[in-house]
Each structure stands twice: as structure tokens, then as C-alpha cells.
Amino acid sequence: MATNTQESSRQVDRRSLPLDLLLDMYRRMVTIRRFEETVYDVYSRGIMPGLAHLYTGMEAVAVGVCMTLRKQDNITSTHRGHGHLLAKGGDPRRMFAELLGKATGYNRGKGGSMHIVDMSLGILGANGIVGGGLGIATGAALSAKLMNEDRISVAFFGDGALNEGLFYEAANMASLWKLPVVYVMENNHYGEYTTTAKSTAGTGPARAEAMAIPATTVDGNDVLAVYEAVTRATGRARAGEGPSFVECVTYRWRGHHMGDQGDTYGYRTQEEIESWKKKCPILRLRTYLIGEGLTGEDTLRQIDSEAQQRIDEAVEYAKTSPYPDPSEVFEHVYA
Amino acid sequence: MATNTQESSRQVDRRSLPLDLLLDMYRRMVTIRRFEETVYDVYSRGIMPGLAHLYTGMEAVAVGVCMTLRKQDNITSTHRGHGHLLAKGGDPRRMFAELLGKATGYNRGKGGSMHIVDMSLGILGANGIVGGGLGIATGAALSAKLMNEDRISVAFFGDGALNEGLFYEAANMASLWKLPVVYVMENNHYGEYTTTAKSTAGTGPARAEAMAIPATTVDGNDVLAVYEAVTRATGRARAGEGPSFVECVTYRWRGHHMGDQGDTYGYRTQEEIESWKKKCPILRLRTYLIGEGLTGEDTLRQIDSEAQQRIDEAVEYAKTSPYPDPSEVFEHVYA
Amino acid sequence: MSMPERIGTIREAINEALREEMRRDERIFLMGEDIGLAGGVFKVTAGLQEEFGPERVRDTPIAEAGIVGLAVGAAMTGARPIVEIMFNDFTTLASDQIVNQAAKLRYMTAGQCKVPMVIRTGMGAGRRAAAQHSQSLHAWFCHIPGLKVVLPSTPADAKGLLKSAIRDDNPVMVLEDKMMYGQEGPIPEGDYTVPLGQAKIHRKGTDATVICTSSMLYPSLEAAERLAEEGVDVTVIDPRTISPLDEEALVNSAVETGRVLVVDEGYESFGVTAEIAARVQEKAFYYLDAPVRRLGAADVPVPFAPSLEDLTIPSADQIAGIIREMME
Amino acid sequence: MSMPERIGTIREAINEALREEMRRDERIFLMGEDIGLAGGVFKVTAGLQEEFGPERVRDTPIAEAGIVGLAVGAAMTGARPIVEIMFNDFTTLASDQIVNQAAKLRYMTAGQCKVPMVIRTGMGAGRRAAAQHSQSLHAWFCHIPGLKVVLPSTPADAKGLLKSAIRDDNPVMVLEDKMMYGQEGPIPEGDYTVPLGQAKIHRKGTDATVICTSSMLYPSLEAAERLAEEGVDVTVIDPRTISPLDEEALVNSAVETGRVLVVDEGYESFGVTAEIAARVQEKAFYYLDAPVRRLGAADVPVPFAPSLEDLTIPSADQIAGIIREMME
Ligand SMILES: Cc1ncc(C[n+]2csc(CCOP(=O)(O)OP(=O)(O)O)c2C)c(N)n1
Ligand SMILES: Cc1ncc(C[n+]2csc(CCOP(=O)(O)OP(=O)(O)O)c2C)c(N)n1
Ligand SMILES: [Mg+2]
Ligand SMILES: [Mg+2]
């Protein structure tokens, strides 16, 4: 979370970004990828309960956004939350333990994939309700303003969530009250099995602009483009200029959730998936780093293997952790 | 409802409108005015229970819209519904009886001011929930399309209702599915005691356009301007081209409801009210009719006094009607 | 009933009821998220879009309030919409449209209109789906005059009750337990209906009565089997329609056995078990040998961890345990 | 309690509690429709924007789900929002945010966060406001683990309970009967709190117990007066907090008198009276001389016509009549 340096200037020139920032982006994206693909494996072997919505292919969005944030900044995430949490600095061990319903998990096994929270990192939660976090992120921005605290909010949400009424109610207030919040729409072209074209008249950015919220669309597979656009948006937020809206166009490689992996349900073609795999966001950053001569294969391979190791450890940690005590079922209902 | 003649052409030249149509507009506007001002009197004398939200000053909107509709077309109305109902052909006697909670009322006294329905006139109801009718009107348009019935819907709603999420959910579907519905936003500058500027970022038309719904703003105190704009919108609907959005800018002369009449609550000035009274929509049509030599004072005065008489009869009818039988309290819960 | 039957799942039974009703009545249409092309996330509507086309089996945006709102308007104007809200938890997003519009329009208008629509939704815990995908909020709907509330527990009832719900001229909430979609049993072929408001006695005993809803039928039957071995003879009765409730059948059974346990998967407090217990104790008071007991889901948001989640759902063990206590 | 008191209305008591708490704790802010400039449609928040400014007494757009959603996020991040939802009927628009977010976040996160917020809303019929402006839906909130539910019936309780609700670290629903805003009574000055979860005995008798909530206190007291003249000595007890319920106090009274009537203005079926009746009969079964009786609002959408509306609200006549029946 050391990227506070951009705060003064809102224009980012990708060529001026420090190497450690770029490598950190790479590291986080790879960590997400390894995490998700490991979830895929573990789930496929039947040792993971419940639902899991994988972020594979969308890594550049979470990382491009969260690298503009500081520890005290808040995010709200979605049902497809692993990437956001890891990008904001979440601990893969406690995440994996949560996915297995263990007492060492972030939520002591009570939340599972869709409800992980880390208040110390400003992560206000994944959410099982599509669009459910939009009010929360906006409210966190309101409290920052009211209590004069130096923090901003980012709400991640999907192209499908754009059609829930809550967005308009919350964003309207954010616009009226100039709240420090950035709405990041992850347009991966589908909400479950329904294409954006069939679910959405008009576009996200147009809808935001109609509420006087500046909006932009970026290539969500280009982590630097995301970083650039969101830096402008967070800059506005930090300067008290109000909310912004950033649409990131991307794609999920895996099924909507683990239950339907491999099955296209007739809603998309294998070719489409393959064509997007060619636009892999990690490969793209890799190629940039090497192509520009900023780093070498070895460094990146080192990062890759460290990431894999970190995830393997996380799995091991999770597997060997205890289940919560039965008595915990009645704990934490009230504060 | 004899204005079906405009259906083929969507461009209205006000100079070509037949006199009987113009006089009908005038008659309906005056009827609404007399109805509302009589409600004001009756309420002030303490013989009317509950809430009443008066439409005085906004008559041109309801009439300009409803004169483009046929009997089978549907409307949904709001808490401020008397004008819409009368414009669509509602019977003032059964309306007044309803306001007094009488068994001869439209709803046998069970609904009161905010819930009057007349299915035979396609009136799907006033509504006590702000924005509550937006889904219903859109659904009526959907059923028309599904069942291949030749009718369209109009949803009336206020500038305040624009901020309820339901609008976006319903209008998005209308746009996607090209449903025959017209959204008529009555911008009277306030939702209760809150100005549009404080409640709404951006504008209604921009929000509709962002969902690919054609939108326009008209002077809501000019019945002919409303009629012209809505004729284009209903034309689109009838031709299967989908929804439209018409913002009508107007003003309510009376308080938000009868309980706060005379009290400006500090939210608006007496001068503002007076300045809008000068823009009286009835006076405006009157001046036009006489100024263009289309009719004479006598004819209009005749209409005025007939309207007053009709309302006086309605009050008399309502007053002398019986209350519903106590046993009715348990009737109509289920069909 | 001498109708031909076949063995099938609740999923199939619902699908069959929808298909047959849509063939019978052109005014019926379905709308919901991913119900068409994908056949629904629980595959309940599979194949229907193929037969009836995308107009009548309509995929919607993710917009629960809007979906129900449109259904209300369509129902008022002569269509007969059937809405799927994927998870019961998401009906909260449409509460206003369900409660303030659909349920009240007939009464508020003194019968000028009717709102013949069905909302199907998946209830129940057990899928490790955590607190926002596991609720059974039927008590909410039961509390609202103007709604009918149906909870099938067998394939035959799923078919027969859904058909009745579809033909009813009121808004009817049909809550399907997500764990039961694969539950097998006989499905009567053809035009089989089960009237709304009629309980069903699944097992008749003399010592105690278990009144149970939806998937709670199965642990209740299991508990009854176990108790039978111990010489305790238990009636198991499923109201099937929770609102309106077949009070007479429940009270009669209470009078016969003198001991009643009510089991339901909604949160226990302020839930369906309370209403049934309150009515039974009032109407059968002088015949009761013990207080009416209740067993609902634990009063906690449903936890994700399987080891915890299982503790929140009423079990055969608990049911048998309570009946044993009552026999003392 | 030797605190100085003054006579004032429930409206004033609430206003005073809000004012004192806002002075005490800067993290508290109010949001709602027309609560600031206009002081609320029931004038409960009058003068607060003048004292605390438009940031802390915040007029919002008409957007109930958004308002509650923002409050949840603000509460999670250290603020202490108090939301006004004008009419209880409109809380249905925010059900998801109340039930799936506010109520569950603490549990789902195993205590990592808390959601200290209050939602005040106006319940109750009698204002000739018809079916969408007259509901008392507190049973809904009581059914949801993670929420607390408070219904004051006197000015002192209105002040003391609201202060406790504001200081509580959980989401607390405070339902204020709209007919009672003008109700007068003593208001203790200064820092007066009433703990959540404690019932209050308003009148102590030996023959029967009336358990009543919110505005039902007054017809219950009136019925008790009338019955006293007939020689029937009635306890009147108000739980004040409905969730968590002071079960002990209610059961103790049932044990003492042997006859219990529960009165509440929510719809009778599947409402608060059912839960209380079910608990009392279970815990006091062997002390009861008659079944626990219930009286809620009629199970119909609230009609507009005064002549009909009045029939839906429990009355002193009905209460006295039921107690008389129970004494036979
Ligand atoms: C309120 C609500 N409605 C429906 C669902 C079921 N659901 C879960 S994810 C999803 C699709 C969301 O699409 P999008 O917002 O584009 O996110 P993506 O899955 O593509 O990341 C749906 C419909 C839900 N969880 N919550
Ligand atoms: C869901 C809901 N929230 C709040 C209210 C209270 N209320 C009644 S009318 C009104 C203002 C509506 O403003 P607008 O839509 O502009 O209509 P207008 O009164 O100006 O005609 C409000 C807030 C309500 N009836 N329903
Ligand atoms: Mg998507
Ligand atoms: Mg307005």
C-alpha cells in the first residue's frame, strides 16, 4: 500500500511509474491468479464447501484499483471477491481458511467466500447480494466526510449489479454531497449467463454521467490503464471533488461459479473464452515489463514461484486448521 | 377520450387542433381545479379524513397527457392523483365519495385519496408509495405486448420519485424490451419540502437517455406543449418503438398536503408561489383560445360554471352517501 | 386418487406443473434471472424457453423490485405472471412491491382489480451458501394479509400446489426448499392439483403430533420412525399451505394426541412455529397434556462453516428428543 | 428514580433524546427525508438542524434503500447514524439493507465489525392514511436475528429507550406509534436511560395479565380500569423491547395470574402476539387457567374509511371482553 505518492498529481504517465510499484502490481496479479486457480483445484477435488466465484482473468481491475489506495481507504467487494481482497492486501492464509470454514479464517468460518471482511485493511466486505455493497461504500465515504477522516471508498460491482436500483439511490447522494467514493464497474460482459446487451440498456458511464458523476471506460485487462484512470478518480475523491465512475472492460475465464465450470450453458462460446485468454492481463504486464526492459524473466519467475508458494502455504494452513467450536454458532449475533 | 385521431401523425401543430379538443382540455383542467379547490374547502372545514395532496396549478400536465390516450390505455398515478384520474375521465362523484370514506366511492371507502382505481378507464391506481406505480405501468405495458393488446401505459411520477431505485429497474426493462410506456415526470420543483436541486444530481431526461430512452422537457403549464410532446411519445409507444420520457416543468400552488397548507416551512417563499400563480395553466389556455379568436368568454364561462356544478353535485353525492357496512372490513382481502 | 404416477424429483414436478399450465393458459408467462437460456440456477425451468420462447420465458436484468413490480402491473391487466426470485433472501429487495402493492391492491380497491401472480423462490439452509443465501422468510409473507403462502414438501405436492397457486386469483408465494429439488417421489401425471389451505397427514399416531413444514417433513418422519421403535406413536402432519392455515386439521390432531411439536426451518423466534403453537394451545388447550413445543432454525444468521450450519437446522435427533421430553 | 421531571409529549421526549445524545457524541448524525429543514413530517426532529447543522441533520432524497445502505456503511466505519424512515410501510423498500446487511454483518464477520445504528420509523393505524401508511411491521424485524426492536409507549420510555438504542452497538429498530406523538406524560430530565430488554409493569393485579405493546398500553389500561370496577384485578405489562424479549417478566406475571391476553397492533396472524403467546404457554403451562389469548390488528390491509379503520385496531372494549371471557 505504498503508492501514496501519486496523490498530488492525478495524471499518471506509465513510463514514470517506479519499478517496485510495477513489480508489486505483477506480484498481486499473480497472487490472485494462483489463489483462484488453486481454489479451482481444491474445489474440484470436493474438499471445499459452498459457492466460489473465481476472478481469473480479471486481475488487472482489482490490482489497478487497489494500488491507488492506502491502507485506511475502504473498499466494498462482491460475490466475486477474492481478487479485491488480495489486491487490497488480504492474507491468503486467512482467506483460504475461511473458504474451508475453519476457525482461523477471517470470519472464523462464519462467512465463507462471499463475506470476508478485514477491517484493519479497510475491506468492508464481499457481499452475497448483487449490488449490496454500493450503499456501504458510499456510507463509508459519508462517514469519512462527516468525521473529517482522511480516507476514501471504492465500490466494486459488476455489469449485472448496474441494474439494481440501489446504485442510483446511493450514487445520487454521493454526487449531491460530493462524497469521496469511486464506483468501479467490472464489465465482464455477463451477469451469470446473461449478456450485458440483454440486461442493460445504455451504458454504465452514461448512467453515472446522468447523475453528474464523471465517468470513463478503460481496458480492464491493462492494469496500467486501470491504475491511470482510477488515480484520477481517487484524486478527485481525495480533493473533495466528489465521486467518479470507472468502467473496466474485462472477462472472466471460468464459469460464473465453481458449479458451472466448463459448462457454457449456451451463453458463450469456447472461442470467445479463448480469445479473451489471449488478452491475459498478467501476460500483458509481463510483456510490457520485459519489452520495455524494465526487468528480466528471472525476476518475474521468482515472483511467480513465491506467489505459488504463498498460496500453497495458505492451503496447507487452511487444511490443518481446526473447525470452529460448535458453541460459536450462537456467538456474534449481537455486539 | 375522442382524441384518437392523432395516432397516425406524431407531429402536432397546435393550430390544427380541433376546437372541441381544445375545449375538452379546458373543461378537464377547470374540472380538476374546481375539484381540488373544493377539496381544499371541504377539508378545511374538517369534514374530510386523512391526507389529501392537491394538484392545483399542475392541471396542464395531467390533461395534456391524458388527452393523447384512449380509454383502454393505462395510467398509474401518484399520491397527488386527483388530477390524473379526472383527466383520464374519472367520475368526480365516486372520487369525492371515496375521499369521504363512503360506500359509493370508487373503492367503497377502503382506499381514500391515494388509492383510487378505475379499471374500466385503465386507471391502475394512485399510489401511496412514492414511485410505486412505475413498475405497475411498465408491467401493464409488458402484458399488452405479450397478449398483443392494443394499449399503452403512462406512468406519472414526481421529481422526488426520480430518486427511488425502482425507476431504473423498471425503465431499463422497458427500454430493453421496447415496451409501450411513457414516463411522465412531473417536476414541480419539490418533493415535500425538499427542492429538486437538493435531491437530484443531474436531470430526469439525462437519466432516461442514459438508458437509451428518448427524453424531452416541456413547459408543464402549457397544456398544448404537453400534448405535443406526449403525442410523439405515445406515437412511439403505439408503433412498437419503445418507451419515452417526458419531463413536465410545473408547480404546485398548495402545500405538499392539506396538513401544511399556508405553511411554507421555510422551503419556499410566498413570492415564488405568486410568480407561479401568474403562470396559471388554465388562464394560459383561456388566453390562447380567446386571443386566437377560437372561442368567446361566454363559452368558457359556461364551461366554468358547468364544472363547478358538477363538482358541487359530487360533493352533495358524497356527503349524502352511506358509510360502508362494518362487515366490509373483512371483505376483499382475497379474490 | 387413481391417476397414473411416475417417480420423479421435486425439480421435475415443478417443471411439469409450469409446462402444463403454460400449455393450458396463454396468459401465463415466466420471468426471472437466468430462468430462460440457462434454465434457472437450480434448473427448475429447464427446457421451458425452448418450448414457449423468450417472450413467455423471460430472462430479466438483476432487478428484483422491478421484476415483481412489472409482474404486479401485468397481473392487474390480465396476464398471469410467474416470477422466480432465485433465493428467498433476495425477496427482501422486492418487499415493497410484494407487501404494499401485490398484497393490498385488491383490498384497497374493494375488489376492482385482482393480482393473479405467483412468486417462486428458493428457501432453506444446508447448501453452505451462508447468511445471505440460506434464509426461510416465509413467516414474513404469512404475516401479510392478501398473500397466500405455500411450502411443498413432496414432488406430488410441489406439482399439485403449484398448479393451484397458478390458478389462484391472488398473489401466491411458493417457497421451495433448495435442498429438496432432488427429492424423489411419485408425481401424478396430468392435471393434478392440491387445493390451497389443506394440510396433509403423512403418518397417523396417537401419542404426539409433529406439525412440520417443507423439508422438515423428512427429519420429522425419521424421528417418528425412531420413536415408533420406542413405542411412541407419532402423527406427522404438514400444513402445506401456511397461509391460509388448515387450523382445523392441526387442532384436531392436537386434540387427538394431546402433545404437539411444531417444526419449521424459519428462524424460531417470531416465526411460523409461534403462530401455529399459539393457535393450537388456544383451540386445544383443554386437551393438551403438555405445552405446545416449537423447533425452528436457530436464531442466528446462517453460518457458512458446515460444522456450524448443520447445528442451525432442526434435526431428527432434536425432534425425537423433544417428543421424548414431552412424553415424560 | 429521583430525577427531575417535566410533563411533555412523546414527540418532545424523542427530540430531547436526540438532542442530548448528539451533544454528547459527535459521531451521531441523523438522516432522513425532510427531517432537517422541515423538522420531519411529524415534527419530531424540529430544531435539530438549527442546532447541529445540515451535515449532522441531513435531508436526503427519497431513496429508502440508499439511505439505510449509507447508514450501514457509515456505522461500520465509526459513525453512529440515526435514520428516520417516515412510515413503517416504507421500511419495506430497505428490507434488504436492514435484513441482509445491517443485521447480519456482525455475525457473518465473526465480530470483526459492528453496525451501531438506529432506524426510527412511524407505525400504527388510526390516522386515516390507508393501507400503505398505517402498518405496524415490527414482527418482521423481531424475526431477524441481529436486530433489536424497541416500541416505546410513554414519553419517559420514549426518551430512555431511544437513548439506550443510540448507545447500543447493534442495529436497533425503534417503532414510534404515529398516534402517540402527542401523548403526554412525565419526561425525566437529563441523562435518563431505560435498558433494552426490560418489561415494565404499569399496573399490578391478581386475576389476569394483559401484555401490551406501544399504543396498546392505553386501551389496555382503560380496560383494566373498567374491569376493576367489576372486581377483576388485571396486571398490565409492556415489554417495551420486543426483541430481545423480557420473557422472565412476562412468564412470571402469567404464573401469578394464570390468565394472559397479548395485545399488539401488528396484524394478528404470524405477528408479535403469536410469539409471546407461544412462549408464555410453554413456560407457564402448568399455571394457566385458560389458554393464552391474543388480540392483534385485524388481518386486513388497513382500510381508509374511518368507520372501517377503527374496527381493525384493538380497542378497550375488545380487551375487556376477552378478559371477561377468560374469567368465566
Ligand atoms: C440481489 C441478488 N440477485 C441475484 C443474485 C444471484 N447472482 C449472483 S451473482 C449474479 C450475477 C452478477 O453479475 P455481475 O454483477 O455482472 O457480476 P459478475 O458475476 O459478472 O462478476 C447473480 C444474478 C444475488 N446474489 N443477489
Ligand atoms: C416510498 C415513500 N417514501 C416517502 C414517502 C413520503 N412522501 C409522500 S409524497 C413525498 C414527496 C414526493 O415528491 P414528488 O415525487 O416530487 O411528488 P410531488 O409530491 O411533488 O407531487 C414523500 C417523500 C412515500 N409516500 N413513499
Ligand atoms: Mg458481470
Ligand atoms: Mg415534486
Side-chain angles (χ1 to χ4, degrees), chain A residues 297-308:
Chain A
E297 285 279 357
D298 285 358
T299 310
L300 299 182
R301 258 198 298 269
Q302 172 77 6
I303 294 177
D304 291 349
S305 76
E306 277 166 13
Q308 183 64 52

Side-chain angles (χ1 to χ4, degrees), chain C residues 22-36:
Chain C
M22 290 186 76
R23 285 181 187 159
R24 186 186 57 76
D25 187 343
E26 290 234 311
R27 297 166 303 173
I28 297 172
F29 71 100
L30 312 189
M31 63 194 299
E33 296 159 13
D34 292 300
I35 61 164

Side-chain angles (χ1 to χ4, degrees), chain A residues 158-160 186 188-191:
Chain A
D159 49 287
E186 305 186 303
N188 63 5
H189 299 89
Y190 296 93

Side-chain angles (χ1 to χ4, degrees), chain D residues 103-179:
Chain D
K104 294 188 174 34
L105 271 156
R106 184 164 183 84
Y107 188 88
M108 292 192 302
T109 66
Q112 284 180 88
C113 66
K114 59 184 186 190
V115 188
M117 61 186 273
V118 171
I119 300 181
R120 297 177 40 247
T121 190
M123 63 178 271
R127 293 177 64 95
R128 290 64 174 110
Q132 293 175 339
H133 285 71
S134 304
Q135 289 173 94
S136 302
L137 295 172
H138 44 301
W140 275 30
F141 306 125
C142 295
H143 188 47
I144 304 299
L147 299 178
K148 296 188 179 180
V149 184
V150 170
L151 276 70
S153 63
T154 66
D157 285 352
K159 177 171 177 180
L161 290 166
L162 181 54
K163 284 194 166 226
S164 296
I166 293 170
R167 297 176 191 188
D168 199 282
D169 275 343
N170 298 286
V172 183
M173 310 293 304
V174 179
L175 289 101
E176 302 159 2
D177 191 294
K178 301 185 293 288
M179 295 298 282

Side-chain angles (χ1 to χ4, degrees), chain A residues 53-55 58 78-80 114 127-132 157-162 164 186-193 252 256, chain C residues 33-34 41 62-64 86-87 90 93 132-133, chain D residues 96:
Chain A
H53 305 82
L54 302 187
Y55 201 69
M58 299 166 62
T78 68
H79 56 287
R80 196 176 303 288
M114 288 191 289
N127 213 306
I129 300 297
V130 167
F157 66 105
D159 49 287
L162 182 72
E164 289 279 12
E186 305 186 303
N187 183 351
N188 63 5
H189 299 89
Y190 296 93
E192 289 189 352
Y193 319 110
R252 65 166 156 75
H256 168 62
Chain C
E33 296 159 13
D34 292 300
V41 294
I62 310 172
E64 288 77 10
M86 209 180 282
F87 287 73
F90 312 159
L93 288 145
Q132 294 175 339
H133 285 73
Chain D
D96 163 57

